[in-house]
């Protein structure tokens, strides 16, 4: 059985796609080009995924998710990390974990100091500003590892959702010894949608959070053990979620 090709987009159509369909999927080479660095440059960020901390907040009782979380402000001229703060979402956007101030381990200083990190975030921030000229952007960065140590791992235990921000990026970092993990993107106000499985490291899905809902299906091991690593970034105008809660 053949796998249908992924609906990759030429980066020259990125702004139009976000305005017209609410999402865009870019090839790894185009992500590196957009960030102004090479894929080997981006790969220097990857070892930090081996040092994520256990997520102790999962309400389903699972121990399949490790993560780190940090926040930044992008004013168009610079990217500045903020003092470490909890992650918060309203229950309207996350019925499972909404309303909780979840304080995760911060990203490692060496990861944030890596030149590829700032180049990637500032390039994607500029892509968001091409659609909605709202700066500064309040940016949250989440490093995730979903593993199959308990037999199944759930990338989005809250199900299909929006995040309550302006834009969301889901970047594939790596898949090892798993099946599943299909990405699903659907029109927030209609039946149109796409399903595909991101497999190549540095594949990027960029979403207009008001226009679409998204989810990733559970993963299962192909052998004894497996895992799926992703980087999720969000951009919000005005403030971080929960800043005044």
């Amino acid at each position: 059985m053949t796998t249908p090709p992924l609906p990759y987009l030429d980066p020259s159509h990125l702004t139009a796609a976000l305005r017209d369909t609410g999402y865009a999927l870019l090839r790894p080479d185009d992500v590196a080009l957009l960030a102004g660095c090479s894929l080997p440059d981006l790969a220097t960020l990857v070892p930090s995924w081996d040092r994520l901390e256990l997520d102790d907040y999962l309400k389903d009782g699972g121990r399949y998710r490790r993560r780190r979380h940090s926040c930044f402000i992008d004013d168009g001229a610079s990217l500045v990390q903020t003092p470490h703060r909890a992650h918060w979402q309203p229950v309207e956007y996350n019925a499972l974990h909404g309303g909780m101030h979840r304080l995760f381990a911060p990203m490692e200083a060496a990861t944030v100091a890596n030149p590829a990190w700032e180049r990637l975030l500032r390039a994607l921030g500029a892509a968001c500003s091409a659609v909605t000229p709202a700066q500064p952007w309040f940016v949250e960065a989440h490093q995730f590892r979903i593993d199959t140590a308990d037999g199944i791992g759930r990338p989005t235990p809250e199900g299909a959702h929006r995040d309550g921000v302006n834009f969301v990026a889901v970047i594939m970092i790596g898949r090892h010894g798993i099946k599943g993990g299909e990405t699903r993107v659907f029109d927030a106000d209609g039946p149109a949608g796409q399903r595909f499985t991101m497999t190549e490291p540095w594949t990027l899905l960029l979403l207009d959070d008001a226009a679409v809902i998204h989810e990733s299906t559970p993963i299962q091991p192909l052998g004894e053990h497996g895992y799926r690593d992703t980087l999720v970034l969000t951009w919000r105008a005005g403030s971080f979620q929960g800043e005044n809660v």
Side-chain angles (χ1 to χ4, degrees):
M1 188 172 69
T2 59
T3 302
L6 272 66
Y8 285 127
L9 183 80
D10 187 286
S12 64
H13 300 147
L14 177 59
T15 301
L18 288 170
R19 287 175 174 161
D20 294 343
T21 67
Y23 69 94
L25 187 71
L26 295 186
R27 295 177 178 84
D29 286 342
D30 290 329
V31 174
L33 186 64
L34 186 69
C37 58
S38 67
L39 283 174
D41 290 336
L42 291 173
T44 62
L45 297 166
V46 173
S48 62
W49 265 262
D50 289 332
R51 298 184 295 272
L52 304 186
E53 299 289 339
L54 190 66
D55 183 341
D56 290 320
Y57 293 93
L58 289 170
K59 283 190 174 180
D60 64 5
R63 295 177 64 82
Y64 52 80
R65 183 157 76 181
R66 293 181 177 273
R67 68 193 295 176
R68 288 182 182 271
H69 166 253
S70 287
C71 296
F72 305 83
I73 295 177
D74 182 355
D75 65 2
S78 63
L79 181 76
V80 177
Q81 186 174 11
T82 69
H84 193 51
R85 64 190 306 278
H87 176 54
W88 186 89
Q89 293 175 290
V91 293
E92 290 83 1
Y93 292 106
N94 189 328
L96 187 60
H97 298 115
M100 302 170 61
H101 283 90
R102 293 178 286 164
L103 187 63
F104 300 110
M107 293 180 60
E108 294 178 340
T111 305
V112 175
N114 188 318
W117 176 255
E118 181 168 350
R119 289 177 183 173
L120 177 65
L121 265 65
R122 290 199 61 200
L124 293 178
C128 295
S129 293
V131 180
T132 303
Q135 290 180 332
W137 288 117
F138 293 79
V139 185
E140 296 196 48
H142 307 260
Q143 294 177 283
F144 287 107
R145 170 166 290 180
I146 309 298
D147 68 41
T148 60
D150 294 332
I152 191 169
R154 296 177 174 83
T156 51
E158 66 272 35
H161 65 283
R162 291 165 54 208
D163 286 296
V165 297
N166 291 79
F167 297 96
V168 179
V170 181
I171 301 175
M172 174 56 58
I173 301 299
R175 293 168 55 100
H176 302 271
I178 62 167
K179 59 183 178 180
E182 179 184 68
T183 297
R184 299 176 177 179
V185 182
F186 299 104
D187 191 325
D189 299 313
Q194 285 269 10
R195 300 181 176 191
F196 48 85
T197 301
M198 297 190 292
T199 58
E200 289 187 85
W202 300 103
T203 299
L204 162 70
L205 174 65
L206 188 58
L207 307 164
D208 179 337
D209 190 55
V212 296
I213 58 176
H214 64 280
E215 67 175 334
S216 295
T217 62
I219 62 171
Q220 294 176 286
L222 289 173
E224 183 177 347
H225 181 58
Y227 59 89
R228 178 181 186 263
D229 290 348
T230 56
L231 171 63
V232 175
L233 304 165
T234 66
W235 290 263
R236 189 172 190 265
S239 67
F240 292 109
Q241 287 196 100
E243 199 158 46
N244 301 311
V245 175

